[in-house]
């Protein structure tokens, strides 16, 4: 981007015009804004963004080339004490470049306004309220903490972010966790750059585009000031009355649905120069990543594995068993240092010797060992749930890597960093949309990360009731696939006494005795099996001569997790699952069955969810059979109302009573 001659040629082609100033000005806080006691459209809001105005434009210098400058001004109203956290604002900026100077962030015009005795009092930010912190080798953070903030305050500030990396603009957010009354973002892009704008979220943005004129001046190599005029594309994006982004049940990462705007550089087209394409397809990304010495070269390292590989596979011939042995060996030998990423840090050989490494080092060791014994194994790039989703082909959209093995046309996904993963059972944070398998030849392919196979919970209970409403019985449970992984990940390292105390509380205060568990830390491909005896006085009600019992006892659901009136975000259940309950009651002598819940079978229209309850009785026994199925990991928000209604019907049925009457 430092092509001086190309910039000078632009003088022939383009003309100059002044860029209009922003509509909102800092320092113009009104008494009405300070007196406003609650948000007019969301009375629960603890604060609100009164306006947020942003602008990205370009500058040029002979030394640094083109620089993208993003300026943002904000005014925030604090309604409640809990909203005071909005006095703290943090902006991350990149410092890990090889070919560019670090990004630069500067705050200014930061102040708090309060109404005191009918007059507006302004408190400026001093040096003690401004901070910069190193996060890691790639990122720093700039922060401010505004002073004298209380209920009723209005906050203002401006920040400028300068970057020489013009391949993509900083993400601009139109939505936040509090209401945004007005948000506007303007991009002033010289026409020798072409960017692709990508909108995320469910807020409709108003867009106004026009070709205008722009200019800037710079010193040439002779220290002479050169004025450059050019045509530019001016796009103004705006939104008003943007509702707060609120947490909801079954959301993978709420930031994936936050209304925002991304920009990726597609191409440059300077006069008298060949058009240069920056927008890559996935194969181009794969080639770039593989060419990095901390990726492709590290995957080629394998001689250090030869001796151990021969030793652990001695006498083992079948493909399936060899795969299982290699995976278990790497999983047990290596210890994850909790660092993500798809590039190595200290290198695979050193990590192997130290038995500790980051995600890339551990799974590269696994891939290399599998290749040594003849498997078709390749890395799969992933963006974890907390990292977001790649919105276009680029190498910075990923932060994790796993292994994929192809055996007779069947793909198996493996991650050796976690101690309780198995074949095609990955850490839950990795089940994020799709991954990208990349090969040494530069080709790549999309990989579905989310399982389509149901993971199951099976419960069998034998329950005996007494005349006082007390119960005793035995429970046997079986957890398979992701349900087994989820259990092991949470509880395998927990002391048994601590786990049982937690389990008793979760099951509404039952008392547990004779607890046993199989496959807790071993035989990870097999289900986790638990058995225990229990007793309780908390799961029945006696009114007069009748005993009332919830048919599903301590497994009864009582609250619908879907409380919003409407929803646009997808419903993410993480993986398909089913739950099966078989419960047998022995009623006490001297009692008869007065009424039982009627059988029910319901499902959503597309069979995304289904529920059935069958109730039978014979002599002094009652048999309850319940099956609940969630057949898709992710369901569109378009089906929200039917899913909410389904859950309510299911909960209502679970809370219908078995009624016993004394005779």
């Amino acid at each position: 981007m430092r092509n001086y001659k190309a910039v000078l040629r632009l003088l022939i082609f383009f003309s100059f015009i002044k860029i209009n100033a922003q509509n909102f000005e800092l320092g113009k806080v009104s008494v009405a804004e300070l007196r406003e006691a609650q948000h007019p459209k969301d009375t629960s809001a603890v604060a609100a963004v009164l306006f947020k105005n942003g602008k990205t434009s370009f500058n040029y210098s002979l030394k640094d080339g083109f620089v993208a400058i993003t300026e943002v001004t904000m005014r925030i109203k604090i309604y409640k004490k809990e909203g005071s956290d909005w006095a703290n604002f943090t902006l991350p900026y990149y410092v890990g470049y090889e070919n560019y100077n670090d990004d630069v962030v500067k705050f200014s015009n930061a102040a708090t306004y309060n109404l005191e005795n009918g007059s507006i009092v302004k408190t400026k930010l001093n040096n003690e309220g401004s901070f910069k912190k190193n996060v890691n080798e790639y990122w720093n953070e700039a922060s401010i903490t505004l002073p004298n903030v209380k209920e009723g305050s209005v906050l203002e500030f401006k920040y400028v972010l300068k970057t020489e990396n013009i391949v993509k603009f900083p993400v601009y957010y139109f939505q936040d966790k509090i209401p945004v009354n007005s948000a506007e973002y303007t991009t002033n892009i010289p026409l020798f750059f072409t960017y692709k704008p990508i909108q995320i979220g469910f807020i409709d943005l108003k867009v106004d585009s026009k070709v205008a004129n722009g200019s800037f001046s710079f010193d040439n190599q002779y220290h002479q000031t050169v004025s450059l005029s050019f045509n530019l594309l001016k796009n103004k994006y705006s939104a008003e009355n943007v509702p707060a982004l609120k947490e909801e049940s079954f959301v993978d990462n709420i930031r994936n649905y936050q209304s925002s705007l991304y920009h990726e550089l597609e191409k440059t087209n300077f006069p008298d120069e060949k058009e240069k394409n920056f927008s890559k397809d996935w194969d181009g990304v794969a080639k770039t990543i593989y060419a990095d010495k901390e990726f492709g070269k590290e995957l080629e390292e394998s001689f250090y594995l030869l001796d151990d590989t021969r030793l652990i596979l001695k006498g083992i011939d079948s493909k399936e068993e060899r795969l299982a042995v290699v995976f278990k060996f790497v999983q047990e030998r290596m210890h994850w240092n909790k660092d993500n990423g798809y590039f190595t840090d200290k290198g695979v050989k050193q990590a192997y010797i130290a038995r500790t490494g980051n995600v890339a080092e551990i799974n590269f060791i696994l891939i290399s060992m599998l290749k040594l014994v003849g498997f078709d194994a390749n890395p799969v790039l992933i963006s974890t749930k907390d990292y977001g989703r790649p919105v276009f082909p680029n190498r910075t959209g990923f932060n994790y890597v796993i292994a994929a093995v192809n055996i007779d046309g069947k793909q198996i996904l493996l991650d050796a960093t976690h101690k309780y993963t198995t074949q095609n059972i990955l850490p839950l944070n990795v089940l994020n949309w799709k991954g990208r398998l990349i090969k040494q030849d530069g080709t790549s392919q999309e990989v579905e990360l989310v399982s389509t196979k149901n993971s199951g919970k099976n419960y069998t209970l034998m329950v005996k009731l007494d005349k006082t409403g007390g119960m005793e019985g035995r429970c046997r449970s079986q957890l398979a696939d992701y349900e087994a992984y989820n259990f092991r990940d949470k509880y395998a390292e927990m002391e048994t006494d601590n786990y049982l105390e937690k389990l008793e509380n979760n099951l509404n205060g039952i008392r547990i005795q004779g607890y046993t568990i199989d496959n807790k830390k071993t035989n990870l491909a097999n289900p986790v099996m638990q058995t225990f005896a229990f007793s309780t006085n908390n799961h029945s009600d006696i009114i007069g001569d009748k005993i009332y019992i919830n048919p599903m006892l301590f497994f009864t659901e009582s609250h619908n997790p879907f409380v919003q009136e409407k929803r646009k975000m997808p419903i993410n259940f993480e993986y398909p699952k089913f739950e099966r309950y078989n419960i047998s009651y022995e009623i006490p002598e001297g009692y008869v069955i007065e009424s039982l819940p009627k059988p029910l079978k319901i499902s959503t229209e597309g069979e995304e969810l289904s529920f059935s309850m069958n109730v039978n009785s014979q002599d002094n026994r009652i048999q309850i059979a319940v099956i609940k199925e969630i057949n898709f990991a992710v369901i569109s928000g378009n089906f929200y109302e039917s899913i909410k209604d389904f859950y309510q019907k299911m909960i209502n049925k679970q809370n219908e009573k078995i009624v016993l009457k004394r005779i």
Side-chain angles (χ1 to χ4, degrees):
M1 294 306 166
R2 295 170 170 80
N3 192 327
Y4 174 68
K5 290 183 179 179
V7 173
L8 288 180
R9 292 189 197 105
L10 297 173
L11 290 166
I12 305 170
F13 291 88
F14 303 107
S15 58
F16 167 77
I17 194 173
K18 248 185 177 179
I19 309 243
N20 289 332
Q22 295 172 341
N23 293 326
F24 294 95
E25 292 184 37
L26 296 180
K28 301 294 184 181
V29 175
S30 67
V31 172
E33 288 171 327
L34 288 164
R35 283 181 173 165
E36 190 172 74
Q38 64 182 23
H39 192 269
K41 292 183 177 293
D42 183 356
T43 57
S44 67
V46 298
V49 177
L50 300 183
F51 70 77
K52 178 181 181 180
N53 289 344
K55 177 180 69 174
T56 295
S57 52
F58 287 80
N59 208 339
Y60 180 85
S61 72
L62 197 62
K63 177 185 175 183
D64 299 325
F66 286 101
V67 176
I69 303 170
T70 299
E71 304 175 46
V72 178
T73 59
M74 291 182 68
R75 180 179 295 167
I76 299 172
K77 168 70 180 184
I78 307 300
Y79 294 111
K80 301 178 183 179
K81 184 179 179 181
E82 298 85 351
S84 297
D85 289 344
W86 289 89
N88 305 305
F89 187 85
T90 298
L91 185 70
Y93 61 100
Y94 201 75
V95 294
Y97 299 117
E98 292 184 6
N99 302 316
Y100 300 117
N101 292 316
D102 292 348
D103 290 351
V104 176
V105 170
K106 183 179 180 181
F107 283 95
S108 64
N109 300 89
T112 303
Y113 296 83
N114 289 297
L115 196 61
E116 298 180 8
N117 299 320
S119 299
I120 298 175
V121 177
K122 177 180 179 181
T123 308
K124 293 183 179 180
L125 176 72
N126 57 34
N127 292 334
E128 294 179 357
S130 182
F131 315 92
K132 287 193 177 179
K133 182 179 76 171
N134 175 252
V135 178
N136 54 43
E137 60 182 312
Y138 302 108
W139 290 94
N140 282 358
E141 286 181 347
S143 304
I144 56 171
T145 299
L146 288 154
N148 197 25
V149 176
K150 50 193 173 184
E151 291 182 33
S153 296
V154 170
L155 320 177
E156 286 189 340
F157 59 86
K158 174 182 178 179
Y159 69 81
V160 178
L161 171 61
K162 296 182 179 181
T163 180
E164 296 175 20
N165 178 21
I166 63 171
V167 173
K168 59 180 182 178
F169 293 170
V171 182
Y172 193 82
Y173 294 99
F174 291 85
Q175 188 176 29
D176 220 314
K177 293 184 178 180
I178 54 177
V180 178
N181 292 1
S182 175
E184 184 178 292
Y185 180 50
T186 302
T187 58
N188 298 311
I189 302 174
L191 288 183
F192 38 88
F193 295 118
T194 301
Y195 283 85
K196 180 201 303 180
I198 300 173
Q199 183 183 345
I200 302 298
F202 303 102
I203 304 300
D204 292 329
L205 300 181
K206 181 181 177 182
V207 184
D208 181 24
S209 298
K210 64 180 180 181
V211 176
N213 298 320
S215 72
F216 42 67
S217 300
F218 62 95
D219 290 340
N220 64 16
Q221 67 266 43
Y222 306 110
H223 305 290
Q224 298 170 326
T225 299
V226 177
S227 295
L228 177 65
S229 299
F230 48 87
N231 282 351
L232 58 80
L233 178 63
K234 182 174 184 177
N235 287 331
K236 184 169 77 171
Y237 305 88
S238 58
E240 293 184 351
N241 300 319
V242 180
L245 185 70
K246 295 185 177 180
E247 296 286 347
E248 298 188 41
S249 300
F250 302 107
V251 175
D252 50 352
N253 180 353
I254 199 167
R255 288 184 301 164
N256 290 336
Y257 313 103
Q258 185 176 4
S259 180
S260 53
L261 195 65
Y262 292 72
H263 281 83
E264 179 201 17
L265 181 62
E266 289 189 300
K267 61 184 178 181
T268 59
N269 189 8
F270 292 102
D272 299 335
E273 284 193 4
K274 185 178 179 181
E275 181 178 284
K276 185 175 181 181
N277 210 323
F278 282 80
S279 183
K280 294 183 177 180
D281 58 17
W282 284 116
D283 287 350
V285 171
K287 289 177 182 177
T288 302
I289 291 174
Y290 239 106
D292 195 293
K293 63 181 180 180
E294 294 176 346
F295 194 95
K297 186 178 179 181
E298 292 291 320
L299 278 169
E300 294 171 6
E301 288 272 357
S302 60
F303 289 114
Y304 66 98
L305 299 170
L306 282 171
D307 291 342
D308 284 342
T309 304
R310 292 192 187 103
L311 183 64
I312 65 174
L313 293 178
K314 188 176 181 180
I316 299 175
D317 296 322
S318 77
K319 289 181 181 179
E320 291 76 12
E321 194 174 355
R322 288 164 79 85
L323 174 63
V325 168
V326 168
F327 177 69
K328 184 179 179 181
F329 174 79
V330 176
Q331 186 181 43
E332 292 182 349
R333 177 189 175 94
M334 300 303 299
H335 299 281
W336 180 36
N337 63 11
K338 305 302 180 184
D339 285 343
N340 288 342
Y342 59 85
F343 288 133
T344 59
D345 182 12
K346 55 192 172 187
V348 289
K349 186 175 181 180
Q350 184 59 38
Y352 188 76
I353 294 169
R355 297 175 179 250
T356 301
N358 66 9
V359 165
E361 286 159 347
I362 293 174
N363 284 325
F364 283 7
I365 289 168
L366 173 63
I367 292 167
S368 295
M369 189 172 275
L370 289 170
K371 284 184 172 181
L372 272 179
V373 296
F375 285 104
D376 177 14
N378 292 285
V380 178
L381 301 177
I382 289 172
S383 172
T384 57
K385 288 180 181 178
D386 55 353
Y387 195 69
R389 294 178 181 172
V391 294
F392 43 72
N394 70 98
R395 59 183 287 174
T396 62
F398 304 102
N399 70 324
Y400 205 93
V401 61
I402 62 171
V405 182
N406 192 303
I407 299 181
D408 301 326
K410 179 183 178 183
Q411 187 177 77
I412 298 171
L413 302 179
L414 301 165
D415 183 357
T417 63
H418 289 61
K419 296 305 180 185
Y420 301 112
T421 55
T422 56
Q423 295 182 22
N424 285 327
I425 302 295
L426 303 172
L428 298 183
N429 198 35
V430 168
L431 305 183
N432 187 32
W433 199 41
K434 301 178 188 296
R436 176 63 51 171
L437 184 150
I438 63 174
K439 297 185 177 182
Q440 190 173 10
D441 63 6
T443 60
S444 71
Q445 64 187 57
E446 197 172 68
V447 173
E448 182 62 61
L449 298 173
V450 180
S451 175
T452 56
K453 175 187 175 184
N454 282 25
S455 296
K457 292 181 180 179
N458 281 283
Y459 295 94
T460 302
L461 283 78
M462 304 292 293
V463 186
K464 184 176 181 180
L465 289 84
D466 64 33
K467 296 178 181 180
T468 67
M471 304 178 195
E472 60 181 28
R474 292 194 63 81
C475 177
R476 183 174 185 270
S477 70
Q478 175 179 300
L479 311 176
D481 299 317
Y482 270 108
E483 296 291 359
Y485 168 77
N486 206 8
F487 175 89
R488 292 178 178 122
D489 188 51
K490 290 180 180 178
Y491 304 122
E493 304 302 324
M494 185 180 288
E495 293 291 336
T496 300
D497 288 346
N498 293 337
Y499 168 68
L500 291 180
E501 181 180 355
K502 185 177 183 66
L503 182 61
E504 287 177 337
N505 290 332
N506 289 344
L507 299 182
N508 197 20
I510 67 171
R511 298 177 294 277
I512 292 176
Q513 292 180 321
Y515 176 82
T516 64
I517 185 169
D518 294 323
N519 303 326
K520 180 180 179 181
K521 293 186 179 183
T522 57
N523 304 319
L524 300 184
N526 295 330
V528 174
M529 312 285 289
Q530 300 178 89
T531 60
F532 57 84
F534 67 89
S535 59
T536 177
N537 295 309
N538 300 333
H539 292 85
S540 66
D541 294 305
I542 297 179
I543 302 175
D545 61 351
K546 297 179 182 180
I547 301 176
Y548 297 83
I549 307 158
N550 279 342
M552 291 184 66
L553 282 180
F554 34 74
F555 295 111
T556 302
E557 296 174 90
S558 57
H559 300 290
N560 191 334
F562 301 106
V563 296
Q564 300 291 335
E565 184 178 348
K566 294 183 179 181
R567 172 170 173 160
K568 293 183 178 180
M569 287 181 281
I571 298 115
N572 190 307
F573 292 107
E574 296 189 309
Y575 47 86
K577 57 194 75 175
F578 73 86
E579 299 173 17
R580 181 178 287 116
Y581 301 86
N582 289 297
I583 305 173
S584 176
Y585 292 96
E586 181 182 338
I587 67 176
E589 187 177 348
Y591 279 81
V592 295
I593 300 167
E594 180 174 275
S595 65
L596 296 172
K598 293 181 180 179
L600 175 71
K601 185 174 184 179
I602 58 173
S603 65
T604 55
E605 185 175 351
E607 300 289 333
E608 295 89 0
L609 286 79
S610 65
F611 173 83
S612 66
M613 177 183 285
N614 287 305
V615 184
N616 294 296
S617 64
Q618 185 174 5
D619 300 328
N620 69 334
R621 291 194 174 275
I622 302 170
Q623 298 288 337
I624 309 291
V626 174
I627 298 175
K628 174 185 173 182
E629 292 183 286
I630 299 174
N631 295 312
F632 296 89
V634 182
I635 301 174
S636 168
N638 294 332
F639 299 98
Y640 175 71
E641 290 185 14
S642 63
I643 289 173
K644 180 180 178 180
D645 181 63
F646 169 90
Y647 261 80
Q648 194 57 54
K649 289 177 179 177
M650 178 178 68
I651 289 168
N652 291 343
K653 176 54 64 174
Q654 291 182 36
N655 285 273
E656 290 182 8
K657 305 293 185 180
I658 296 171
V659 182
L660 307 179
K661 184 177 181 179
R662 189 171 60 234
I663 55 175

